[in-house]
Amino acid sequence: NDRGPLKVLFLSADTGGGHRASAESLAAQFLRHFPGSTYDLLDVWTPCGVYPWKTLVDSYTHMSAHPRQWRFFFHTSNMFLSEKGADWHSNLFCGKGIRKRIIEYDPDVVVCVHPAMTGSPSYQLARLSKKLGKHVPFYTVVTDLGTAHATWFRSKRCDKIYVASDRIKKLAKRRGRFPDNKIVEAGLPIRQAFADEEEKLGDRTSEAGRAYQASVRKELDIDTDRQMVLVMGGGEGVGGLETIVDELYTQFMKDGITASIYVVCGRNEKLKESLASKDWSALLTQERKTRKRDRVARIFKGGKKAEGETPTSADETAKGDVKVVGLGFVTKMAEYMVGADVLVSKAGPGTIAEAACVGLPVMMTSFLPGQEAGNVDVVLENNFGEYNDKPVEISEIVSGWLQNPELLAEMSKNAKSVGRPHAAEEIVIDIGTCANAWKSLDSGAGRMSDL
Ligand code: UDP
C-alpha cells in the first residue's frame, strides 16, 4: 500500500521559527496523504548533555541577536575541516544517545529539516538499519532559500535531498557531491494554509482578489478602508522592530497615508507592551535626531535622556491617519499576509517563501550574515522587494510603495511567480511513497524495539 500509514521522525530544533514551521507543514501533509501516520519532532542535541551540542538553541538565540558573532561562527563552521571535526566529535560523544532516541521512536522514515542534524544522525540511523537488516530511509529537506550552510549536505546516507532553488541545488552538488537523481528541486515547504489562501485570493490586484482580501481583513478585525503594513522580525521578534515602527508611523503621518501597521512581536512581550503604551502623537513632535538620542539613552540605561524638543511643525504637517497594533505570536500568518499590502521583515527564508506565495511585496530590513544573505538576492533578483537596514530609509521606501499602486501590483505579480505553495505536499508524497515501498520490501525485518 503506497499510501499506508507511516511513523515519521522529524529532526529539528527551535533555532528560529522556520525549521519547526517547515516540519509542521510536512507533518500535516503526511496526515493528509498517508492517513493514520504519526510523527514526532526530535532535537537530538539539546538533551544530549555534551558541550557544545547541548547549547545549540541558546547559542543560536544569542548569536542571531549579535550578527557579527553569528557571521564569525557561520563562516568558520562552513569549512570542510570544521564539518568533518563536528561529525567526528558528535558521533564519538553523542552517537549512543542519538541511537537510543531513534530506537525509542522506532520510525519508518526520518526527515531532517535542520542543518545540524544531517551527518551524525544519518550515520547512526544507518548503523541501526544495518543491525535490523532493513533500510530505514533518511531524507533531508533544506529549509533555506537562497544559500545554505555546508552541514546541510553532510549526509552521504541520505536517500534524497529536497531543495528550494537552483542556487541550493548547485551547492548540494558542489558541497555534498550529491548526484542529480538524489536532488529534488521542490520549493520551500510552507503550511497548507498558504496554498489554501493563495487559491482563494488569486491575483490580489484583481477585483475578486481585493474582495477576498477585504473579507479576510474583516475576519481578523483589520480596517478595510486603510492600507495595511505587516511588520515582523522572525520567530524571536528580533531586528530593531520598534525603531522601524516609529519611523513608519511618522513617515506615513507626514505623507498623509491612511494605514494600519500590524507588528508581529512573536515572543517579544516587551515590544508588544511598549507599542501598546506609546504616546504616538508625542512621537510626531520629535525630530528624527532627537528620537535617535532617546533610543540611545534607552539602550544605555542611566545615560542622559534627551530632553523633549520644542514641538516642531511636524505636528501641523502630519496629515495621515495611522494605527499601530502589536500582535503576539501569530498562528494565522497566511491570513495576515493576505490582509497586508506590504511586508516589512527580516530576510527569513520561510517568511519570504510565504510572502511570495500570496503575492506580497517585501521590504527586507535585516538578514543573518551567511545563511540569509542569499534570501535577499532571491527577492532582489525577482523584483518583489528591496533591502535596506536604515529605519528612516525603510519608512520612506515603504511610504513610496503605498502611494504607488501600479508598483505594488507589479511587485505582487513578480512575487507570485516565485511562490511554490504546494511544495510541502509534493515533497511528502514523494517521501511517503518511497518510504512505503521500503517498508513493504523489508516487511519481514524486525522493529527497532527488538534491538
Ligand atoms: N511565524 C509565525 N508566527 C509568528 C512569527 C513567525 O507563524 O508570530 C512563522 C513565519 O510564518 C515563518 C517562521 O515563523 O514560517 C519564521 O521562519 P523564517 O525562516 O522566516 O525565520 P527564522 O525565524 O527561522 O529565522
Side-chain angles (χ1 to χ4, degrees):
N1 178 5
D2 67 355
R3 288 297 170 105
L6 291 161
K7 282 188 87 180
V8 189
L9 183 60
F10 289 100
L11 302 182
S12 187
D14 287 332
T15 50
H19 301 294
R20 179 176 284 270
S22 288
E24 280 170 0
S25 74
L26 294 168
Q29 297 296 343
F30 272 107
L31 302 185
R32 261 181 98 199
H33 293 283
F34 300 89
S37 292
T38 51
Y39 71 91
D40 207 349
L41 203 132
L42 173 66
D43 169 355
V44 294
W45 300 133
T46 304
C48 78
V50 178
Y51 188 80
W53 305 99
K54 63 177 180 178
T55 66
L56 181 80
V57 174
D58 290 343
S59 305
Y60 177 87
T61 308
H62 171 81
M63 282 192 274
S64 61
H66 298 86
R68 276 194 208 160
Q69 290 177 27
W70 176 258
R71 180 187 288 125
F72 177 77
F73 171 75
F74 184 92
H75 292 298
T76 48
S77 61
N78 199 20
M79 291 188 294
F80 182 71
L81 273 182
S82 321
E83 295 164 38
K84 266 281 206 232
D87 277 353
W88 174 83
H89 183 271
S90 56
N91 271 319
L92 185 67
F93 293 103
C94 316
K96 200 170 160 198
I98 293 174
R99 287 200 300 281
K100 189 172 152 250
R101 282 186 191 93
I102 295 177
I103 289 171
E104 270 164 18
Y105 189 69
D106 190 12
D108 295 317
V109 53
V110 176
V111 182
C112 174
V113 293
H114 198 284
M117 295 189 203
T118 60
S120 184
S122 70
Y123 174 70
Q124 300 304 333
L125 180 70
R127 278 185 63 174
L128 291 173
S129 299
K130 202 168 162 197
K131 242 182 173 172
L132 284 168
K134 70 174 185 181
H135 181 69
V136 181
F138 183 100
Y139 297 93
T140 300
V141 180
V142 179
T143 63
D144 276 318
L145 199 57
T147 189
H149 195 279
T151 49
W152 273 115
F153 316 115
R154 288 304 297 165
S155 168
K156 298 286 171 286
R157 293 160 192 86
C158 181
D159 287 62
K160 272 188 199 170
I161 182 163
Y162 296 84
V163 299
S165 65
D166 216 32
R167 286 157 164 266
I168 304 215
K169 186 175 180 177
K170 283 187 189 136
L171 275 175
K173 282 178 162 183
R174 188 160 58 81
R175 301 293 298 260
R177 306 246 174 271
F178 279 96
D180 274 323
N181 64 355
K182 277 198 173 189
I183 310 173
V184 183
E185 197 175 327
L188 200 126
I190 56 173
R191 284 161 285 187
Q192 177 64 27
F194 285 90
D196 297 341
E197 289 300 313
E198 187 266 339
E199 203 178 315
K200 288 187 249 174
L201 175 69
D203 173 4
R204 64 164 63 223
T205 60
S206 69
E207 208 170 301
R210 278 197 298 274
Y212 183 67
Q213 185 188 50
S215 72
V216 170
R217 284 184 178 176
K218 266 190 204 140
E219 223 171 88
L220 297 174
D221 215 12
I222 298 171
D223 292 345
T224 50
D225 52 354
R226 295 164 180 265
Q227 290 179 292
M228 198 277 247
V229 174
L230 186 64
V231 184
M232 55 189 287
E236 305 295 334
V238 294
L241 287 198
E242 187 162 6
T243 316
I244 293 170
V245 176
D246 287 358
E247 295 302 341
L248 286 172
Y249 174 85
T250 321
Q251 189 70 38
F252 292 174
M253 288 298 282
K254 274 190 183 170
D255 291 346
I257 290 173
T258 303
S260 30
I261 304 173
Y262 278 73
V263 188
V264 180
C265 306
R267 288 173 269 270
N268 191 339
E269 278 302 316
K270 242 169 84 185
L271 172 62
K272 197 175 164 202
E273 277 162 30
S274 172
L275 292 176
S277 58
K278 189 170 296 214
D279 179 357
W280 293 98
S281 57
L283 207 67
L284 284 173
T285 63
Q286 281 183 306
E287 285 298 351
R288 278 179 165 146
K289 235 191 321 184
T290 327
R291 285 206 300 278
K292 199 168 173 186
R293 271 202 341 253
D294 261 354
R295 276 194 301 271
V296 174
R298 250 194 345 246
I299 292 164
F300 297 100
K301 278 193 196 105
K304 193 175 177 301
K305 199 172 184 299
E307 293 298 320
E309 289 285 287
T310 22
T312 66
S313 54
D315 227 359
E316 291 135 41
T317 54
K319 318 171 276 222
D321 179 3
V322 183
K323 198 167 130 180
V324 180
V325 182
L327 305 165
F329 189 83
V330 171
T331 49
K332 291 187 164 186
M333 193 51 84
E335 288 83 345
Y336 273 98
M337 285 198 187
V338 166
D341 295 299
V342 171
L343 174 68
V344 177
S345 172
K346 83 168 185 110
T351 305
I352 288 174
E354 291 165 354
C357 285
V358 292
L360 182 62
V362 190
M363 178 74 229
M364 295 168 292
T365 57
S366 66
F367 64 90
L368 274 183
Q371 92 201 50
E372 288 184 348
N375 304 340
V376 175
D377 297 335
V378 168
V379 175
L380 298 182
E381 279 165 16
N382 291 288
N383 295 314
F384 65 100
E386 278 192 42
Y387 175 82
N388 200 305
D389 58 6
K390 296 180 188 64
V392 171
E393 289 170 24
I394 291 167
S395 61
E396 286 164 359
I397 295 168
V398 174
S399 175
W401 288 358
L402 292 183
Q403 296 171 74
N404 188 345
E406 288 82 24
L407 178 64
L408 276 182
E410 183 65 34
M411 287 197 289
S412 172
K413 210 172 82 201
N414 296 339
K416 271 202 96 168
S417 70
V418 180
R420 302 282 295 264
H422 300 286
E425 186 173 26
E426 285 165 23
I427 293 170
V428 163
I429 290 176
D430 197 36
I431 291 181
T433 311
C434 294
N436 266 320
W438 280 111
K439 199 175 157 185
S440 56
L441 201 69
D442 293 332
S443 56
R447 303 288 317 182
M448 288 188 186
S449 44
D450 305 333
L451 290 174

